[in-house]
Amino acid sequence: MKLQTSVPFSKAQNLIDYTSTIFLMGSCFSENIGDKFSYFKFQSTQNPFGILFHPLAIEKLITRALNDKKYDASDIFEFQERWLTFDAHSSMARNSGENLIDTLNNALLKTKTQLEKASHVIITLGTAWVYRHLTRDIIVANCHKVPQKEFEKKLLGIHEIVASLHRMIQLVRSITKNAECIFTISPVRHLKDGFVENQLSKAHLIAAIHQLQNENTNYFPSYEIMMDELRDYRFYDSDMVHPNGLAIDYIWEKFMSTWISEEVYSIMNEVQSIQKGVSHRAFNPNSEAHKTFEKSLRVKIEYLQKKYPSIKFDT
């Protein structure tokens, strides 16, 4: 008796290994996957501007980075004693305008540099709902808790999303022709928009991505795995909105089996063993047993780094 449905998978082409360079942008689920790449010491960069929820925000920053359009005082504002920009997440906030401008321009440079050498670009879309700032007449990436009366809410149409994704792909391919573009929909539920509205939003994103078949892009079904294979609240965090650690691990294993070369699984196991050793806290740091453990750990790290110089550990 089979008591669970399974999303079918086939092994992708141009698989990820330790020579690959991965660039991730998008919703908080891109952070979850990006953290996995970071943990296993792949060459990866995630969200230089913080979490971005909708396609227009991602497109805008990629466009700005690749066109070398730097930030200046006209792009930022002060609110509740913090300096912010409507283009990026609140995590980018700084205590002075000059500091924020420097931070944003460094993020632009990092984005361009990483895209130039990316072998895999992973874009995670969270919502099709956007907010337009009425005074500035711009679609914002984040409202930063500015009073709602200053914004107009809008649901992006499927054709608008398709056009944005098309421009995004063209931009990426203009700087790195052979990069694999992988799209996925965040399984995070945007229930503040409403239950029906959240499903409508996800439907628009899914429909738009599936109209990109002629763009030589890839789709990884994070959302579908959560909805069909993990359809139980025990796989959600306490807020009942975000996938919990178990769900993230499960989806990561599916991604790994699809996109990561089996030839590097043994290396990933070595990295994981070292990571556990690095995070280990000894009861008696001065004991001979612990000194022997540390020496063995250093030998493992040195051996792995000789084979893969890009792998670095915080010890």
Side-chain angles (χ1 to χ4, degrees):
M1 182 182 294
K2 187 175 182 182
L3 299 176
Q4 183 187 38
T5 55
S6 298
V7 178
F9 287 91
S10 57
K11 205 73 173 179
Q13 302 294 317
N14 191 18
L15 297 172
I16 294 169
D17 59 26
Y18 278 93
T19 66
S20 304
T21 48
I22 305 122
F23 184 80
L24 305 98
M25 284 188 83
S27 84
C28 45
F29 191 72
S30 68
E31 302 265 303
N32 299 144
I33 297 299
D35 287 345
K36 292 293 187 183
F37 278 120
S38 178
Y39 178 82
F40 286 104
K41 299 300 178 181
F42 285 91
Q43 299 179 75
S44 64
T45 301
Q46 66 189 58
N47 280 342
F49 294 90
I51 295 166
L52 302 169
F53 298 102
H54 63 78
L56 296 185
I58 300 169
E59 179 201 349
K60 183 175 185 179
L61 290 173
I62 290 176
T63 302
R64 191 157 194 156
L66 298 190
N67 290 332
D68 296 315
K69 186 181 178 183
K70 292 187 176 182
Y71 281 90
D72 58 34
S74 66
D75 300 303
I76 65 174
F77 64 98
E78 187 179 13
F79 180 67
Q80 294 182 343
E81 300 182 29
R82 299 189 307 162
W83 285 90
L84 302 148
T85 175
F86 281 126
D87 286 355
H89 190 260
S90 299
S91 61
M92 302 294 283
R94 296 295 183 268
N95 57 9
S96 74
E98 294 80 3
N99 194 352
L100 176 59
I101 290 171
D102 287 343
T103 300
L104 292 170
N105 287 330
N106 287 334
L108 285 175
L109 179 60
K110 183 176 184 180
T111 299
K112 182 175 183 178
T113 301
Q114 295 302 316
L115 279 173
E116 284 176 334
K117 60 184 181 181
S119 61
H120 297 77
V121 178
I122 302 173
I123 304 292
T124 304
L125 305 178
T127 183
W129 288 103
V130 299
Y131 289 84
R132 183 173 69 88
H133 190 264
L134 297 173
T135 303
R136 295 188 178 222
D137 192 25
I138 57 170
I139 301 294
V140 304
N142 198 297
C143 295
H144 303 302
K145 298 183 179 179
V146 171
Q148 193 170 357
K149 65 182 180 181
E150 296 190 24
F151 301 93
E152 175 187 62
K153 187 177 181 180
K154 172 190 173 182
L155 180 67
L156 293 175
I158 295 171
H159 294 302
E160 290 178 280
I161 300 169
V162 171
S164 176
L165 298 181
H166 173 75
R167 292 190 296 267
M168 207 184 299
I169 293 164
Q170 294 299 108
L171 280 165
V172 171
R173 294 269 162 78
S174 72
I175 199 168
T176 174
K177 292 182 180 180
N178 297 320
E180 290 285 349
C181 292
I182 306 168
F183 287 96
T184 189
I185 304 296
S186 170
V188 175
R189 305 159 73 212
H190 289 249
L191 296 185
K192 288 183 179 179
D193 293 321
F195 283 79
V196 174
E197 291 81 358
N198 172 65
Q199 292 294 78
L200 178 60
S201 165
K202 300 290 189 186
H204 278 215
L205 296 175
I206 293 169
I209 288 175
H210 285 284
Q211 289 188 29
L212 298 173
Q213 293 178 351
N214 296 327
E215 301 279 0
N216 192 25
T217 59
N218 306 275
Y219 181 68
F220 179 75
S222 301
Y223 178 77
E224 290 78 1
I225 294 170
M226 194 72 197
M227 294 298 105
D228 285 287
E229 295 193 38
L230 305 178
R231 52 166 70 194
D232 191 297
Y233 280 111
R234 74 178 185 271
F235 296 113
Y236 283 91
D237 216 336
S238 58
D239 61 5
M240 297 298 165
V241 169
H242 292 82
N244 63 17
L246 181 60
I248 292 166
D249 287 345
Y250 185 90
I251 297 172
W252 165 254
E253 286 179 6
K254 294 285 188 178
F255 184 91
M256 179 176 156
S257 66
T258 305
W259 273 102
I260 297 181
S261 171
E262 293 180 12
E263 294 179 2
V264 302
Y265 286 2
S266 60
I267 303 165
M268 293 174 69
N269 289 335
E270 289 182 52
V271 170
Q272 186 172 40
S273 174
I274 292 171
Q275 290 280 50
K276 289 178 178 178
V278 169
S279 63
H280 175 71
R281 295 292 176 263
F283 289 111
N284 184 1
N286 297 317
S287 69
E288 288 301 319
H290 184 67
K291 290 177 182 178
T292 301
F293 169 79
E294 285 189 322
K295 183 178 179 180
S296 174
L297 188 62
R298 285 195 298 271
V299 169
K300 287 182 180 179
I301 292 173
E302 289 171 5
Y303 172 76
L304 197 57
Q305 288 181 335
K306 282 182 181 178
K307 291 175 66 177
Y308 302 96
S310 65
I311 294 178
K312 306 292 182 186
F313 290 94
D314 298 323
T315 56

